[in-house]
Amino acid sequence: LTDVYSSSPALGRYFRSAQVVHFSNESSTVFYQLEFVLPPPTEGFMENIMNPDFLRNILRQNIYDED
């Protein structure tokens, strides 16, 4: 995750770290925490750039690009 988000043109400059918070062997589920450094408040930044769907789509795009 660190490589994915730090190399993202949209998020790389804001990305600080990724950390596994919990891992379940039973369901192969991993919960992780992403940390970003945010710029001074700007209109629409949190709604657009830091939107959870946008963050997931960057990860999905990276997975698709590796195939």
Side-chain angles (χ1 to χ4, degrees):
L1 288 177
T2 299
D3 290 341
V4 171
Y5 288 110
S6 63
S7 65
S8 165
L11 294 174
R13 62 183 155 210
Y14 308 117
F15 180 73
R16 172 76 58 148
S17 66
Q19 178 178 344
V20 173
V21 177
H22 178 75
F23 178 77
S24 171
N25 283 327
E26 290 179 14
S27 63
S28 297
T29 302
V30 177
F31 292 92
Y32 55 90
Q33 177 179 345
L34 300 173
E35 182 179 349
F36 295 89
V37 177
L38 301 178
T42 56
E43 189 174 328
F45 180 81
M46 291 303 291
E47 294 82 13
N48 298 316
I49 300 297
M50 300 310 292
N51 179 302
D53 290 331
F54 184 76
L55 296 173
R56 278 189 291 273
N57 288 336
I58 287 177
L59 181 57
R60 283 186 187 123
Q61 185 63 49
N62 182 267
I63 292 168
Y64 295 145
D65 288 349
E66 287 183 356
D67 288 340

